[in-house]
């Protein structure tokens, strides 16, 4: 590693708070001797004079130590798009609502900058999905996703008729609004909203979740990460379908198109400031009731991630049984 260090800032410029925090972050990084890079669409709104400005390409994060994102999960997914090819870690500072992909909150910005400057973070790899569309026997498009690939109807008044296949064998035919194939990372996003299970990110698997299927069997499925899930749009569909990857990239699916989803070759790397448990993250993000928990009496309580503490900081502290290690208490 050379002495020259650079952090790429990806900013939700539609939020004035984000642009303000971006300027503040750039100043603090520069003071610590860390250079700042900005994407061209963000640079004018952020207005950091000495920042390096690059176009939005797969090479945008090359040579950077980290991609630091100021925004919600949508902006973090945008940051993942430019970071994935170079394998640069992504660190999210949540300025949105739930922010499951984020590692810290707006109130923890100083602590976050300190961790970046002093390299006090770990990096974990998250499974992605590779998506291939074929039509009339030829490949017409390829995509990828960190959260999910969703196949949806384009006409509101009609169902999408499709046959679903797993590992080369037919599973079922559905008339539905669509179907979601998700990673464990995406299990708390679109798949969760559609009734799918929450999957701990340490587990590698693929979720298959039908969307409002008109069928007796339409349960969410969890399949092996080595499986290939294929969805074929039946020729009798009178309208095309549409593929959405992470809600950001889209492809049209004509009747007769085939979509194959498999584990991605290239993972996304996320920077983690703390080794908090995913259970604690769920409790904090969804505000789950855990008062009365009496476990862990014979061991010290674990500390949750920074975002857990930040969220709970603004909530009334629930009454704590003096004889228990209540996980609902403020860390």
């Amino acid at each position: 590693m050379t002495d020259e260090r650079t952090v790429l800032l990806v900013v939700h410029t539609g939020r004035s708070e984000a642009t303000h925090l971006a300027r503040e972050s750039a100043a603090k990084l520069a003071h610590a001797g860390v250079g700042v890079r900005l994407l061209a669409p963000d640079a004018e709104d952020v207005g950091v004079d000495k920042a390096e400005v690059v176009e939005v390409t797969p090479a945008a994060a090359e040579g950077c130590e980290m991609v630091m994102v100021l925004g919600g999960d949508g902006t973090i997914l945008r940051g993942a798009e430019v970071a994935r090819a170079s394998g640069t870690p992504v660190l999210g500072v949540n300025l949105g609502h739930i922010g499951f992909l984020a590692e810290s909150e707006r109130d923890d910005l100083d602590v976050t900058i300190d961790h970046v400057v002093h390299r006090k973070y770990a990096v974990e790899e998250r499974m992605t999905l590779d998506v291939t569309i074929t039509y009339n026997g030829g490949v017409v498009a390829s995509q990828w996703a960190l959260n999910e690939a969703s196949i949806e109807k384009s006409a509101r008044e009609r169902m999408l008729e499709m046959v679903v296949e797993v590992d080369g064998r037919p599973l079922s035919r559905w008339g539905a609004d669509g179907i979601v194939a998700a990673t464990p990372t995406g299990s708390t996003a679109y798949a969760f909203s559609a009734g799918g299970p929450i999957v701990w990110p340490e587990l590698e698997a693929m979720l298959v979740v039908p969307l409002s299927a008109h069928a007796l069997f339409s349960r969410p499925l969890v399949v092996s990460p080595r499986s290939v899930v294929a969805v074929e749009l039946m020729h009798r569909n009178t309208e095309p379908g549409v593929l959405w990857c992470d809600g950001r990239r889209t492809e049209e699916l004509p009747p007769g198109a085939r979509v194959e989803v498999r584990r991605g070759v290239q993972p996304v790397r996320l920077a983690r400031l703390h080794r908090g448990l995913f259970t604690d993250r769920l409790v904090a993000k969804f505000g789950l009731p855990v008062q009365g928990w009496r476990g862990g009496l014979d061991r010290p309580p674990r500390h949750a991630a920074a975002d857990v503490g930040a969220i709970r900081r603004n909530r009334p502290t629930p009454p704590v049984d003096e004889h228990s290690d209540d996980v609902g208490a403020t860390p």
Side-chain angles (χ1 to χ4, degrees), residues 296-314:
L297 295 178
D298 58 346
R299 61 183 184 273
R302 294 177 181 267
H303 294 288
D307 55 353
V308 174
I311 289 176
R312 293 205 171 277
R313 208 171 292 136
N314 297 320

Side-chain angles (χ1 to χ4, degrees), residues 133 150-155 158-162 176-178 233-234 237-244 250-257 259:
I133 303 171
S150 63
I151 298 165
E152 304 172 30
K153 63 182 184 179
S154 60
R158 296 183 183 277
M159 291 189 298
L160 193 63
E161 299 284 346
M162 55 191 173
D177 286 353
L233 275 60
M234 301 183 69
N237 285 294
T238 58
E239 298 290 338
V242 60
L243 169 72
W244 283 95
T250 184
E251 303 284 349
E252 185 175 282
L253 303 173
V259 181

Side-chain angles (χ1 to χ4, degrees), residues 46-293:
V46 175
V48 177
D49 293 336
K50 296 183 179 180
E52 176 189 1
V53 178
V54 296
E55 297 298 324
V56 181
T57 69
E62 284 186 0
C64 289
E65 181 176 320
M66 176 178 291
V67 175
M68 184 173 170
V69 181
L70 300 168
D73 279 347
T75 313
I76 296 174
L77 290 170
R78 178 175 166 235
E81 287 180 355
V82 299
R84 175 172 169 261
S86 60
T88 308
V90 179
L91 175 66
V93 179
N94 182 37
L95 304 181
H97 298 289
I98 295 179
F100 248 103
L101 291 172
E103 182 63 10
S104 65
E105 301 291 323
R106 56 173 66 83
D107 294 337
D108 300 312
L109 184 62
D110 287 342
V111 175
T112 301
I113 295 292
D114 180 74
H115 277 69
V116 173
V117 169
H118 294 95
R119 296 191 176 103
K120 296 187 293 184
Y121 57 86
V123 176
E124 64 183 38
E125 292 188 346
R126 292 295 182 91
M127 172 183 165
T128 59
L129 301 175
D130 284 343
V131 187
T132 304
I133 303 171
T134 58
Y135 183 66
N136 286 338
V139 176
V140 295
S142 297
Q143 279 288 354
W144 72 279
L146 171 59
N147 271 354
E148 76 280 312
S150 63
I151 298 165
E152 304 172 30
K153 63 182 184 179
S154 60
R156 181 175 182 178
E157 69 277 9
R158 296 183 183 277
M159 291 189 298
L160 193 63
E161 299 284 346
M162 55 191 173
V163 177
V164 178
E165 167 194 304
V166 178
D167 295 329
R169 302 301 301 162
L171 175 69
S172 188
R173 186 181 74 241
W174 288 324
D177 286 353
I179 188 169
V180 174
T183 65
T185 300
S187 70
T188 51
Y190 195 170
F192 172 80
S193 298
I198 291 177
V199 179
W200 264 237
E202 294 85 358
L203 178 66
E204 290 199 337
M206 194 190 315
L207 285 66
V208 180
V209 185
L211 301 173
S212 302
H214 189 68
L216 292 177
F217 177 80
S218 59
R219 298 294 186 182
L221 308 173
V222 180
V223 303
S224 165
R226 296 179 297 277
S227 291
V228 178
V229 174
V231 180
E232 294 188 357
L233 275 60
M234 301 183 69
H235 286 280
R236 69 187 185 196
N237 285 294
T238 58
E239 298 290 338
V242 60
L243 169 72
W244 283 95
C245 290
D246 289 337
R248 293 184 50 80
R249 301 173 299 280
T250 184
E251 303 284 349
E252 185 175 282
L253 303 173
R258 175 183 172 90
V259 181
E260 292 186 354
V261 185
R262 51 176 53 81
R263 177 182 178 173
V265 174
Q266 181 72 40
V268 166
R269 306 177 75 221
L270 298 182
R272 292 301 186 200
L273 306 184
H274 301 270
R275 288 293 187 182
L277 297 179
F278 184 67
T279 308
D280 295 332
R281 187 179 291 263
L282 282 179
V283 169
K285 296 296 186 180
F286 289 134
L288 302 179
V290 293
Q291 292 83 1
W293 179 68

